[in-house]
Amino acid sequence: MMNLSKKYRTLSRFLVASCLFSIGALSASARVTHPTGVTGRADTIVISTSHTMLVLGTEHGHLRQWYLGSNRSGKIVYSKALDDVPGIPGQSLPAYSTFGTDNLFTAAIRTTHTDGNPSLDLVYQGRQEIKKSDDITETLISLKDPQYPFFVILHYEAYRNEDVIRQWATIRHLETAPLTLYNFASANLNFHAKNYWLTQFHGDWAAEMQMQETRLSAGIKILDSKLGSRADMFQNPSFLLSLDTASTETTGEVLAGTLAWSGNFQLLFEVDNAGELRLHAGMNPYGSEYSLAPDSTFTTPAFLFTYSASGKGQASRNLERWARKYGVLDADKPRMVLLNNWEATYFDFDENKLVHLFDEAKEIGVDLFLLDDGWFANKYPRNSDNAGLGDWQENGKKLPQGIGYLTAEAAKRNVKFGIWVEPEMVNPKSELYERHPEWILRLPNRPESYYRNQLVLDLSNPAVQDFVFGVIDGLMKRYPSIAYFKWDCNRMFTDAYSSHLQLIGSPQSELPIEYVRGLYKVFARLRAGYPHLPVMLCSGGGGRVDYGALPYFTEFWPSDNTNPLNRVFIQWGYSYFFPAIATCAHVTGSGDYPLKFKMDVAMMGKMGFDMQFNKLKPEELRFVKDGIRTYKSIEDIVWQGDLYRLLSPYEGNLASLSYVSEDKKRVLLFNYLVTDASVQTAVPLQGLDPVKRYRVEEINLPAATKSSSPETGHVFTGAELMRTGIHISLKKDLRSAVFLLREE
Ligand code: DGJ
């Protein structure tokens, strides 16, 4: 058994010493000269946020991880070496493991040198600390092979207030010819616990972000994607790792990690012979050997993690605060309530039908109309998913007066206009396919293989990048009043081969990486030209929801499954990593459930609609209008508040969650019945100010319906509400209840 208090005392002494070491921009590089003159302990590097600390150190010239965990409570994640601190640490694990020398486990990095030597040895060269703001400090640690001009810099950006560390690597060499990189992890972290519990978020089209928690056994568990463009379709690049015991929302040690990369990824968890866990996170090396030319730099995507000593809830709040500040475009700005026509019309519309929907949008009080798929292509009109992709001109039959007419008609009704594009794709039935066969990913000497009747354009090719950027840029130049885009991507890679890479002499194995780099170049151009244009990130539902893409997008489409019951689970899954302001949740015709249930489920995210309002009864229409007004009065709490998941739909009949405003003056409590049982229970709140007095009100009730909750209309202290909670009573035909608590 570990003696934590003794360890913590040792740790404190050790930290004081470490802080002294870390003062100054560049230190210690002169102190280590491997292979000659290596001393046992040459340097100590502390990377810390307000509650978390990662401690690295050198042993015999090699960079080791000594500690990862809380910097307050003394809880220890990887701790073996602390027994010896401040003496010679003996048993720590590598901070960035290499292949081919004495490493017995998976390597973070692997290459073969030009002389055929397949091993890499990285020794510590020095470090630099850059204070980028009051919040952000970047630590750079440089490593080098003592025998070869091969260099790695490990970057650790510590976000003090959000308790998040963002980590990546840059790789460079000066050998005489290109080197093949076989492994190139962004992060390699180590853990020491009795047990490891991994929560993954897997799924499929229309069933995204299903949670599964398993105890890791000895050996390797990999969460990965090999899907290329629609990379997150089966698995999100995010996970929760609980140490010792499975953590709850409020208890236990947990690390929440996510890779900021919109392509093939690999999260590898290796429990070794000694029961220690070695985590590798990065781009998927599977089939992705990369040829790195001398003096060019290979930059890995960033891996972000946060550590919580008090359960999963705190881990989510940390990451989501970070995402709202740094990770999602304009997350401090308001969003629009929109009406989308996809589920309302599919491909079957013309301009009269659309203008009629504008009327409904105005009447109902939404801000924006979003025209979905089906508006374009003439030689091969886009009347179903089997034609037209790539030909981004208005279809003359459906829209004889063009988009200009639509934007003008929308403006007359004081409704903004948005439009759908899927610029990375092409149907074989299209003029683009006829004009530019060389832009398409497809194998030589094999038949074309289709998914949703389409193929992927080759974004590794700069000409294709120009074309893809031009789709949006062209529309904006012609119709500057377009106020919103939905960027879709409905196909993953299969049978992928780039004639561009062949032409420039690059191996095909680079395609998964170069595709995403090309995509990011286009996103960057989009943002340079249109910094604040709202764009929804969509990939046949949630096939591309990750921290790599979200800095370019204001929101994302979580799933094509809009059945509200299924959405409770799907949105619950996203809520671990992605803030509600970015999570689009639309009220649609899907699912035979009360309209109130649909509205309440949409209100826990960024609410929108995808339905024909003329199909609603007058009282339903009134309910929707009132609901939009209600949402607009509380949306800031959903968008900027801290999330507390209270009762999990995975564990019982009820899902309950709340958002608490930063000043703790206003709170929203959402409750959803997820089975057909009748439920009467109290839901204790979390995160309130115990001494504040809150008045409880049930909101979004249909006209003439009274709240059945005894707390409604009464005032309670935060302490009381956290102890006894709010009583709710739900049954099959009244499946949800939403409460607003306001400080008196
Ligand atoms: C898939 C998206 O997820 C849907 O919302 C819709 O835009 C269709 N594509 C259109 O083809």
Side-chain angles (χ1 to χ4, degrees):
M1 268 299 274
M2 204 149 55
N3 177 344
L4 284 183
S5 58
K6 176 184 157 254
K7 276 185 182 296
Y8 190 45
R9 278 197 306 278
T10 319
L11 177 64
S12 311
R13 282 204 312 278
F14 158 69
L15 284 180
V16 172
S18 317
C19 289
L20 295 176
F21 265 107
S22 57
I23 291 170
L26 191 65
S27 69
S29 52
R31 242 174 290 149
V32 182
T33 48
H34 189 82
T36 54
V38 167
T39 58
R41 173 172 177 271
D43 208 345
T44 306
I45 303 162
V46 178
I47 293 144
S48 67
T49 66
S50 50
H51 297 95
T52 305
M53 193 170 61
L54 172 65
V55 183
L56 308 173
T58 55
E59 292 163 34
H60 308 289
H62 294 103
L63 190 70
R64 316 284 289 183
Q65 181 188 319
W66 287 353
Y67 178 85
L68 168 59
S70 170
N71 68 8
R72 293 239 171 113
S73 69
K75 286 272 191 171
I76 286 159
V77 175
Y78 185 80
S79 63
K80 269 183 151 183
L82 289 178
D83 289 331
D84 307 315
V85 169
I88 298 172
Q91 305 175 69
S92 56
L93 297 187
Y96 199 68
S97 53
T98 60
F99 176 87
T101 55
D102 62 351
N103 176 21
L104 301 175
F105 299 95
T106 304
I109 183 164
R110 179 185 159 207
T111 192
T112 298
H113 298 283
T114 38
D115 63 1
N117 185 338
S119 70
L120 194 58
D121 183 20
L122 290 175
V123 298
Y124 176 79
Q125 295 292 293
R127 69 149 181 269
Q128 194 180 4
E129 210 173 270
I130 304 170
K131 192 143 176 67
K132 294 182 160 176
S133 72
D134 282 351
D135 194 22
I136 311 170
T137 304
E138 182 180 348
T139 303
L140 299 90
I141 303 174
S142 54
L143 310 171
K144 181 186 175 299
D145 191 309
Q147 302 300 342
Y148 295 89
F150 190 98
F151 314 89
V152 173
I153 298 181
L154 301 179
H155 304 251
Y156 299 85
E157 233 173 32
Y159 291 77
R160 183 161 191 81
N161 301 332
E162 295 76 22
D163 265 318
V164 166
I165 296 177
R166 197 169 158 267
Q167 177 181 353
W168 71 99
T170 46
I171 302 165
R172 201 176 133 252
H173 71 88
L174 294 172
E175 298 200 19
T176 50
L179 296 187
T180 300
L181 300 179
Y182 300 97
N183 289 76
F184 27 72
S186 302
N188 176 193
L189 295 170
N190 307 298
F191 303 88
H192 177 68
K194 285 193 207 80
N195 284 302
Y196 308 99
W197 292 87
L198 177 68
T199 308
Q200 66 189 82
F201 297 80
H202 68 106
D204 200 345
W205 174 78
E208 292 85 348
M209 294 300 271
Q210 306 297 307
M211 288 168 62
Q212 212 171 63
E213 187 166 41
T214 37
R215 192 170 72 80
L216 292 176
S217 56
I220 292 179
K221 162 98 182 170
I222 290 178
L223 307 179
D224 77 347
S225 166
K226 304 180 185 80
L227 303 181
S229 44
R230 196 179 174 183
D232 307 339
M233 183 173 166
F234 299 148
Q235 188 89 243
N236 194 271
S238 309
F239 66 90
L240 300 163
L241 178 70
S242 301
L243 303 160
D244 289 331
T245 53
S247 61
T248 69
E249 284 295 322
T250 52
T251 60
E253 289 185 72
V254 56
L255 182 119
T258 188
L259 188 76
W261 182 244
S262 308
N264 292 352
F265 64 86
Q266 187 185 73
L267 304 167
L268 183 147
F269 303 83
E270 182 165 26
V271 178
D272 68 17
N273 55 315
E276 290 173 316
L277 172 64
R278 298 151 190 254
L279 160 67
H280 297 255
M283 295 186 283
N284 198 345
Y286 177 83
S288 259
E289 298 80 28
Y290 195 94
S291 171
L292 185 65
D295 204 16
S296 44
T297 301
F298 183 92
T299 304
T300 74
F303 173 67
L304 288 96
F305 66 92
T306 185
Y307 161 83
S308 156
S310 50
K312 293 168 179 156
Q314 188 58 49
S316 287
R317 287 188 288 281
N318 292 349
L319 274 180
E320 289 177 12
R321 277 191 175 214
W322 186 92
R324 289 201 298 270
K325 194 156 179 199
Y326 301 105
V328 173
L329 184 71
D330 287 341
D332 56 342
K333 301 205 170 60
R335 300 294 193 258
M336 289 180 273
V337 173
L338 63 82
L339 170 62
N340 188 195
N341 71 312
W342 177 241
E343 290 189 37
T345 67
Y346 294 103
F347 295 98
D348 179 22
F349 60 82
D350 59 19
E351 69 186 15
N352 291 334
K353 208 174 198 177
L354 294 178
V355 171
H356 183 69
L357 289 173
F358 297 171
D359 285 331
E360 292 187 356
K362 174 186 159 69
E363 159 68 13
I364 217 87
V366 306
D367 306 305
L368 178 128
F369 179 83
L370 169 60
L371 174 57
D372 214 285
D373 195 355
W375 59 266
F376 50 91
N378 287 296
K379 183 171 173 189
Y380 303 100
R382 180 77 173 166
N383 292 325
S384 81
D385 61 21
N386 70 2
L389 270 183
D391 300 347
W392 299 102
Q393 304 82 32
E394 294 97 320
N395 176 274
K397 229 173 177 178
K398 286 182 188 170
L399 307 179
Q401 303 178 78
I403 287 167
Y405 170 74
L406 295 179
T407 57
E409 288 301 311
K412 276 185 203 160
R413 290 155 180 85
N414 208 14
V415 171
K416 291 192 162 50
F417 180 82
I419 196 161
W420 176 97
V421 290
E422 192 181 2
E424 296 159 75
M425 301 286 160
V426 61
N427 283 125
K429 274 197 200 161
S430 71
E431 293 182 72
L432 180 68
Y433 179 93
E434 291 167 352
R435 267 200 326 271
H436 285 294
E438 78 287 5
W439 283 4
I440 297 168
L441 295 180
R442 52 184 182 171
L443 288 166
N445 306 320
R446 296 203 191 279
E448 281 177 358
S449 141
Y450 306 125
Y451 185 92
R452 210 192 188 213
N453 304 306
Q454 65 196 58
L455 292 157
V456 186
L457 294 178
D458 180 3
L459 267 170
S460 73
N461 182 343
V464 175
Q465 293 165 21
D466 289 346
F467 171 81
V468 171
F469 171 67
V471 172
I472 291 192
D473 191 44
L475 281 164
M476 284 307 287
K477 289 225 162 82
R478 270 178 287 147
Y479 310 112
S481 58
I482 293 178
Y484 187 95
F485 278 85
K486 174 177 178 181
W487 181 311
D488 206 346
C489 162
N490 284 290
R491 195 205 198 283
M492 73 298 278
F493 284 7
T494 68
D495 308 84
Y497 171 93
S498 157
S499 48
H500 170 73
L501 290 181
Q502 180 69 12
L503 203 70
I504 63 170
S506 296
Q508 292 296 320
S509 57
E510 292 179 8
L511 179 61
I513 294 174
E514 292 305 338
Y515 184 92
V516 179
R517 288 183 173 163
L519 181 70
Y520 287 168
K521 280 186 194 153
V522 176
F523 288 168
R525 281 170 77 181
L526 172 67
R527 285 311 166 198
Y530 308 96
H532 301 291
L533 178 67
V535 186
M536 180 202 285
L537 168 64
C538 175
S539 180
R544 187 187 264 166
V545 181
D546 55 68
Y547 275 55
L550 277 173
Y552 304 101
F553 290 85
T554 47
E555 53 228 66
F556 67 89
W557 184 235
S559 177
D560 280 348
N561 186 340
T562 57
N563 173 311
L565 184 59
N566 299 338
R567 269 300 182 109
V568 170
F569 288 85
I570 293 170
Q571 292 171 197
W572 188 269
Y574 281 108
S575 83
Y576 284 84
F577 301 91
F578 303 99
I581 189 168
T583 310
C584 295
H586 292 181
V587 180
T588 73
S590 172
D592 187 16
Y593 293 103
L595 191 57
K596 171 174 166 54
F597 184 53
K598 295 183 174 185
M599 293 278 289
D600 287 351
V601 172
M603 278 191 181
M604 75 181 260
K606 192 225 150 215
M607 188 169 80
F609 294 85
D610 196 338
M611 65 196 319
Q612 289 181 353
F613 292 120
N614 62 8
K615 299 229 165 102
L616 296 181
K617 297 184 195 122
E619 66 274 18
E620 290 179 321
L621 214 52
R622 224 173 305 121
F623 180 66
V624 170
K625 278 190 195 174
D626 291 347
I628 294 175
R629 265 197 299 275
T630 303
Y631 183 70
K632 290 189 177 230
S633 70
I634 49 97
E635 62 192 14
D636 60 307
I637 315 176
V638 177
W639 295 349
Q640 303 301 338
D642 275 328
L643 169 68
Y644 291 83
R645 285 176 298 262
L646 305 170
L647 295 173
S648 167
Y650 284 85
E651 287 163 16
N653 298 316
L654 203 58
S656 295
L657 55 96
S658 76
Y659 296 97
V660 179
S661 67
E662 201 173 347
D663 59 11
K664 296 191 186 287
K665 288 185 172 176
R666 291 189 306 151
V667 180
L668 279 170
L669 169 66
F670 292 94
N671 306 282
Y672 307 107
L673 187 66
V674 293
T675 66
D676 284 347
S678 296
V679 168
Q680 288 191 325
T681 190
V683 181
L685 283 114
Q686 291 172 23
L688 309 191
D689 181 336
V691 298
K692 276 194 176 27
R693 293 167 53 74
Y694 297 91
R695 180 172 293 279
V696 178
E697 182 193 349
E698 184 166 352
I699 59 170
N700 212 31
L701 279 166
T705 312
K706 285 217 163 61
S707 172
S708 63
S709 167
E711 285 81 17
T712 299
H714 298 285
V715 176
F716 302 88
T717 63
E720 284 165 334
L721 289 166
M722 290 193 284
R723 197 172 51 245
T724 45
I726 292 180
H727 288 80
I728 58 158
S729 169
L730 297 176
K731 53 186 186 322
K732 209 174 151 192
D733 53 358
L734 179 65
R735 286 191 164 266
S736 53
V738 184
F739 295 86
L740 172 64
L741 282 58
R742 268 180 292 199
E743 189 190 10
E744 272 284 279

